[in-house]
Amino acid sequence: MCRFGPDEKDRDHFRLVLSNVEDLYEDTLKIREVPSRTNIKPLSRTPMKCRPVSSALFTQRQGVLGVLESFFVERSPGCHDRREFLLHGISGAGKTQLALKFAEKNKNRFEYIFRVDSSNKDTLEQSYIDIASRISGKSDKDHSLEAFEREWLLLFDGADEIDTISRLWPPGIQGNVLYTSRNPMLRSLPSRQARKVDTMNEGDAVTLLLKSARLDELSQHFKDVTLPIVRELGCLALAIDQAGAYIASGECCIRDFLETFQLHSQDLLQNEAYKGASSYDRAVYATWDLSYDAISKSAHKAASGVSTDSGSSIALQILNVCAFFHFENIMEKIFQLAAENPERRDTCGLEIDPEGEFDRNKHLPQGLLRLDHRGKWDSHNFRQGIHILLSYSLLSRDESGQCYSMHRLIHGWAHDRLTVDDKIHYSRCASATLGSSSLGTRDYAFRRALLPHIITCRRHRALISDANLSVAEDLEFSSVFLVSGHNIEAQTLSVQAVELSKRVLGATHPKTLISMNFLAWIYSCQGERKKAEEILLQCFEGLLSQDLGHPSTLFITLQVLARTYICQERREEAEELLLQCWEGLSSALDPAHPSRLAVLEHLARTYIDHGRWKKAEELLLQDLEASSNAVGPAYPYGTRVLDTLARIYAYQGRRKEAEKLLRQVLESLSSEVGPAHPSTLFVSNTLAGIYTCQGRWKEAKELKRPFEEDEKAMTGDGACSDAH
C-alpha cells in the first residue's frame, strides 16, 4: 500500500487508501467494545467493500451531484420515510461513478450505506442476504431492510432488466434508494425523482481525459490537443476514461491519438487490450453488445413462440436501418411517408427490369412500414420497437416525441457490429426508405432535413462498394440535393439516372423521359439553358415517335421547355408551347392536377410579363369558374388560382381586391396545411407587403414574424457531418 510515486495523483490515491484503513480500524474497535446489534457500524458496500468509493479520476459533474444532494437532504432524527431517485442514461455515461461519488461525499449524512449489484437475479439475492447478515446476523433477505429503522442509503446499481428484478425491489417503506439504470422507465417515479445522466460537458471531458492520461490538467497546450478528441468520442465518460488510460499506457501519444482513433475506431472500441488500459471491466462496444444480446434473446423467444414480444425484432430492424442514417434528427415522419407513398409500389416488371433497378418496393423494410385498412401507416409495431430501444438508452427522444437520435459512438457501434452482407442489406433498406419518403412531398423543409441522412447513407454504401442506387433513388436524392442548394451532386445523380434508364428501359420509355426532364430542369436552374433545351427537344421527339400512353409526360416536357425559353427571353415561343400544354392538359388531366396548375400559372405569368394583365385575369377567372363545380374551392386548386389572381391585382395596384383574395387564400391554407407550411408563410409575407404599402405597419410586422422565424430556422440548420 505504500508503493506510491511522487506526483499528486499518487498522493491522492494514498490518502484514499489511508482513509479506508482508518475507517476499518474504527469499525473493528467499535465491534470489540459493544457487540450489541444496535451499535454495529456497517460495512457499507455489499459485497465485501467497506465504503462505496468512486474512481480516483472522478471529474466533477456538479449539476447531477447538486440535484442528488438537494433530493436526499439531511432529515430530522426519526424521519425515515422512503425516498427514491433514478439516474438513467446510456452505458458508459458515468451513472455508477456519480452514485458512488454522491455516497462518498455524504457518508456522514447516512448511518448505513449499502451497494447492491442488481444486474441479475442471483447477484441481487446474494446482496440482500449479505446486507441482512451484516446488520442483523441473519440471512433473511426478505425482511432485513424492511424492518431496519435507520437512515440508510442503498445504491441499487445496474438495474436494467425489469423482468429480472420485478420481485426483488428494495422492501419496505423507509430508507433511501438511489437506482442507476439504462432504462428511463425503470420505476414509475415523478420527473423530479429522475435525472438523465447525459454526456459530459466539454470542459469536464477534457479534464477527465488529461487525468486518465496522467498529463498536466492545467496546460493550455494539452487542453487544445484534447478538445477535438473528446468531441470525436462524443464526451462519453467511459470512452474518454479508456482513451486516457490507453494514452497513459504508452500505446499512443496524445498528439497522435485522434488520427489513430479515426482510422481504427472499431478495433480500439471493441479490443479487450484497449479496455484493459482502464479500470472498467469491459470495452466500450461490449457494454452495448450486452443490450443488443438481451434484445436479440427476446426476439428469438418470440420467433420460437416462447413469448409474444413482437417489439424486439422490430427494435433490431430500426437499430440496423438507423445505423445508415445520420445519428441526429431521425424523424418518425421518414417512416410514415415511406409507408404511405403510393408510388413505392410502381415497378416495371421482371421481364423489363429483372434486377429490380426500378423497383421501389424491393429493399424497403416492410416490417416497419405496415399500413392499416385505411392505407395509413400503422405505427404500433414501430413504436413498440422504439420503446425497447429507449429502455436500453440506445436511442433518445426529443420533446416532440417524434424525433430520435443516437450517441455518435452507439451509432458507430450499430454499424460496425454488422456483417458485410448485413451492411449491404440494411444500407439498401435505409436508402430505399429515404428515397420513398422524399418522393412527391412538397414539404421542402422536410426534404432539406433528409440531406444529412442521404449523405451518410450514400457514404456508407460507397465504403462497402455498393454505391449504385436505383433510378428512383437517384432521382429522389437528386431532388433533395437540388432544393438544398447542392446543384453539382443533384446533377451527378440525375445524369446517372438518365444513363441507367436508357440502358435498361430504352431512350423513349416514359421513365427515361421523366429522368431526362428532371436533368433538363437542373441544367436550367444552373443557367445551362442550351443543354436543357437539347435534352428537352430529345424528349419531345421521343414522345412524338410513340403511342402516347402517358400524355402528361409530353405536356410536362413542353412545360419545362417553355420555362427554359422564358429564361432565355424567348417569350413568344414559350407562350406558344404553354398554350399547347394548356389545351392538352385541360382535357387530359383533373383540374387540380399539379402539372395542369403549373402550366396555368406559367401561362398567366407569361401574359403578365408581356403586360397583358387583362388576358391573364380572364384566363384565371374563366378556368376558376369552369372548374369550381369539379373541385370546389379546396386546396390546392382554388387556393393556387386565387393566389396567382391576387398577385395580378397587386401588380396593377388594385390592393383592396388583392388583399381580399389573399386573406381568403391564407385562411384556406391555414386550415388545409397549417400555419407553419411554407406556402402559408409565403402568402403571409405577400399580404404583409400589401399592408406595408398601405402604411399598416403593425399588421405587416405581425404577419412577417413567423416568416422570419422560419427563415432563421432554415439558415440555422446543422452541418451534414457524420461521426461514422
Side-chain angles (χ1 to χ4, degrees):
M1 288 189 298
C2 299
R3 304 179 87 170
F4 292 91
D7 65 20
E8 184 61 32
K9 291 186 182 66
D10 290 322
R11 286 195 290 274
D12 287 343
H13 295 163
F14 174 77
R15 284 194 287 269
L16 184 62
V17 173
L18 180 61
S19 172
N20 284 330
V21 171
E22 288 172 345
D23 289 341
L24 280 171
Y25 180 65
E26 290 173 6
D27 291 343
T28 304
L29 288 179
K30 289 182 179 179
I31 291 170
R32 285 180 178 174
E33 290 171 3
V34 187
S36 72
R37 171 185 169 188
T38 55
N39 288 318
I40 294 176
K41 181 87 170 176
L43 296 179
S44 4
R45 169 173 172 171
T46 305
M48 301 306 293
K49 265 198 176 181
C50 60
R51 285 196 189 280
V53 178
S54 63
S55 166
L57 300 175
F58 182 87
T59 301
Q60 296 298 324
R61 298 168 81 172
Q62 292 297 347
V64 181
L65 289 175
V67 169
L68 292 176
E69 291 185 7
S70 297
F71 182 77
F72 291 110
V73 66
E74 194 164 358
R75 298 189 285 193
S76 304
C79 182
H80 307 303
D81 292 344
R82 173 65 58 86
R83 295 185 294 188
E84 296 179 300
F85 198 94
L86 170 63
L87 293 177
H88 62 87
I90 63 174
S91 298
K95 303 180 293 293
T96 297
Q97 286 300 316
L98 280 163
L100 291 173
K101 189 64 178 180
F102 168 73
E104 183 183 319
K105 285 184 67 178
N106 295 277
K107 60 185 179 182
N108 296 324
R109 184 176 297 186
F110 305 100
E111 295 180 63
Y112 296 81
I113 300 176
F114 308 103
R115 177 184 173 191
V116 300
D117 179 356
S118 55
S119 59
N120 63 70
K121 182 179 178 181
D122 293 337
T123 59
L124 185 52
E125 287 183 336
Q126 185 58 48
S127 294
Y128 281 143
I129 290 170
D130 289 346
I131 289 174
S133 176
R134 293 178 189 284
I135 64 178
S136 66
K138 299 177 182 179
S139 300
D140 185 357
K141 68 178 186 300
D142 294 325
H143 299 97
S144 57
L145 285 171
E146 187 173 4
F148 197 48
E149 296 183 358
R150 294 287 188 277
E151 185 68 337
W152 49 264
L153 172 66
L154 176 66
L155 303 182
F156 205 81
D157 192 27
D160 298 317
E161 302 289 343
I162 296 178
D163 293 340
T164 300
I165 55 179
S166 59
R167 294 184 180 85
L168 293 169
W169 296 111
I173 56 171
Q174 51 198 3
N176 303 275
V177 185
L178 177 55
Y179 303 96
T180 68
S181 176
R182 294 176 304 218
N183 190 349
M185 296 158 280
L186 181 77
R187 298 287 272 166
S188 298
L189 299 174
S191 58
R192 65 176 293 271
Q193 291 177 235
R195 178 68 178 257
K196 181 179 180 182
V197 179
D198 215 332
T199 53
M200 306 179 78
N201 66 52
E202 289 184 350
D204 285 346
V206 166
T207 300
L208 174 59
L209 181 58
L210 292 175
K211 277 184 180 180
S212 184
R214 298 185 182 181
L215 297 171
D216 184 1
E217 301 159 35
L218 301 178
S219 166
Q220 189 59 48
H221 168 69
F222 282 139
K223 287 181 179 179
D224 293 341
V225 173
T226 302
L227 186 58
I229 296 175
V230 299
R231 286 174 176 168
E232 185 72 19
L233 296 172
C235 292
L236 184 68
L238 173 59
I240 292 166
D241 179 32
Q242 293 188 352
Y246 184 74
I247 293 166
S249 71
E251 295 285 341
C252 175
C253 72
I254 194 166
R255 288 186 300 276
D256 299 332
F257 180 83
L258 186 60
E259 182 179 0
T260 301
F261 181 82
Q262 289 172 337
L263 291 172
H264 306 289
S265 60
Q266 182 176 354
D267 293 337
L268 289 175
L269 292 172
Q270 67 186 14
N271 194 313
E272 289 296 307
Y274 179 77
K275 173 269 293 184
S278 166
S279 60
Y280 195 75
D281 64 355
R282 60 176 65 96
V284 175
Y285 274 11
T287 64
W288 301 317
D289 285 337
L290 292 175
S291 299
Y292 188 92
D293 291 343
I295 299 172
S296 185
K297 185 178 178 181
S298 296
H300 286 310
K301 283 183 178 180
S304 59
V306 177
S307 76
T308 58
D309 174 21
S310 61
S312 295
S313 61
I314 297 294
L316 296 179
Q317 283 189 62
I318 295 170
L319 184 68
N320 293 337
V321 169
C322 290
F324 296 90
F325 290 176
H326 191 272
F327 58 84
E328 292 179 325
N329 199 30
I330 301 170
M331 299 165 285
E332 199 170 278
K333 190 174 181 180
I334 293 173
F335 298 93
Q336 178 192 347
L337 292 182
E340 295 177 357
N341 186 350
E343 295 187 51
R344 70 185 175 98
R345 297 177 183 81
D346 180 20
T347 66
C348 296
L350 291 176
E351 292 182 5
I352 297 177
D353 183 25
E355 300 300 320
E357 291 173 289
F358 293 83
D359 188 351
R360 302 178 191 277
N361 205 36
K362 184 177 179 181
H363 298 299
L364 285 169
Q366 302 296 342
L368 307 182
L369 308 177
R370 294 177 183 171
L371 299 174
D372 61 19
H373 66 280
R374 303 165 300 165
K376 298 294 184 182
W377 182 46
D378 185 348
S379 61
H380 177 70
N381 283 346
F382 178 85
R383 287 179 180 152
Q384 277 189 316
I386 288 289
H387 177 82
I388 289 171
L389 295 176
L390 291 172
S391 74
Y392 284 93
S393 290
L394 295 174
L395 281 183
S396 59
R397 180 167 51 193
D398 72 356
E399 292 180 357
S400 73
Q402 296 181 332
C403 196
Y404 308 95
S405 62
M406 287 185 190
H407 187 277
R408 61 194 303 140
L409 294 186
I410 293 180
H411 183 258
W413 158 81
H415 172 270
D416 291 342
R417 62 165 305 284
L418 295 171
T419 64
V420 173
D421 286 345
D422 282 342
K423 285 177 181 176
I424 291 172
H425 172 70
Y426 284 109
S427 68
R428 289 176 177 177
C429 287
S431 185
T433 303
L434 291 168
S436 191
S437 71
S438 68
L439 179 66
T441 177
R442 290 173 174 263
D443 187 342
Y444 294 111
F446 170 75
R447 292 170 79 180
R448 283 192 290 271
L450 287 178
L451 185 61
H453 301 302
I454 291 172
I455 290 174
T456 301
C457 188
R458 292 186 70 228
R459 189 165 55 77
H460 278 311
R461 293 190 68 172
L463 289 173
I464 55 176
S465 302
D466 187 41
N468 292 328
L469 307 179
S470 71
V471 169
E473 288 163 14
D474 274 334
L475 290 177
E476 288 144 16
F477 291 176
S478 179
S479 69
V480 172
F481 278 113
L482 188 64
V483 299
S484 302
H486 295 254
N487 294 348
I488 300 300
E489 292 86 347
Q491 179 182 315
T492 301
L493 285 174
S494 190
V495 168
Q496 289 176 11
V498 170
E499 290 173 352
L500 184 58
S501 292
K502 285 181 176 179
R503 176 172 59 81
V504 176
L505 303 177
T508 60
H509 191 279
K511 289 184 181 294
T512 304
L513 297 172
I514 290 171
S515 302
M516 293 172 69
N517 262 307
F518 188 72
L519 178 58
W521 173 240
I522 292 174
Y523 282 137
S524 182
C525 290
Q526 293 177 307
E528 299 184 61
R529 297 187 181 100
K530 274 291 181 189
K531 281 186 179 180
E533 183 182 352
E534 289 172 10
I535 292 172
L536 289 166
L537 287 172
Q538 289 176 33
C539 288
F540 188 53
E541 290 170 7
L543 283 163
L544 292 177
S545 68
Q546 61 177 300
D547 180 24
L548 290 179
H550 296 267
S552 63
T553 309
L554 170 62
F555 298 122
I556 290 170
T557 301
L558 291 174
Q559 174 198 338
V560 178
L561 184 58
R563 291 164 81 172
T564 303
Y565 286 159
I566 290 170
C567 292
Q568 294 174 318
E569 301 295 327
R570 296 160 64 182
R571 300 190 182 280
E572 290 183 3
E573 294 171 87
E575 183 179 334
E576 184 180 342
L577 285 173
L578 287 169
L579 279 170
Q580 289 182 47
C581 291
W582 176 243
E583 291 167 2
L585 290 176
S586 292
S587 58
L589 298 178
D590 183 272
H593 192 283
S595 296
R596 185 179 180 280
L597 286 172
V599 172
L600 177 64
E601 289 170 355
H602 283 298
L603 186 55
R605 286 174 190 167
T606 303
Y607 289 146
I608 292 168
D609 289 340
H610 289 162
R612 296 160 69 186
W613 306 101
K614 198 68 179 170
K615 183 70 175 173
E617 182 181 351
E618 286 174 2
L619 173 71
L620 293 170
L621 286 173
Q622 285 172 12
D623 193 66
L624 187 63
E625 183 180 354
S627 306
S628 60
N629 292 332
V631 298
Y635 176 85
Y637 179 75
T639 303
R640 291 271 293 274
V641 173
L642 288 174
D643 181 43
T644 306
L645 194 56
R647 293 173 196 283
I648 290 173
Y649 291 155
Y651 292 145
Q652 293 177 290
R654 296 158 64 183
R655 295 192 181 98
K656 283 289 183 185
E657 294 168 272
E659 180 188 344
K660 182 180 177 181
L661 284 178
L662 285 172
R663 280 188 167 281
Q664 190 177 338
V665 170
L666 193 57
E667 184 179 341
S668 176
L669 284 171
S670 296
S671 63
E672 294 288 344
V673 296
H677 192 277
S679 298
T680 312
L681 294 172
F682 191 71
V683 173
S684 294
N685 195 53
T686 305
L687 184 55
I690 290 175
Y691 286 157
T692 301
C693 292
Q694 294 173 331
R696 296 158 67 180
W697 313 109
K698 188 174 181 180
E699 292 170 275
K701 186 177 180 181
E702 197 63 32
L703 281 172
K704 279 189 173 183
R705 183 180 299 155
F707 185 83
E708 291 167 353
E709 288 173 358
D710 186 64
E711 275 194 326
K712 279 184 187 175
M714 288 179 184
T715 55
D717 281 348
C720 298
S721 62
D722 181 32
H724 250 75

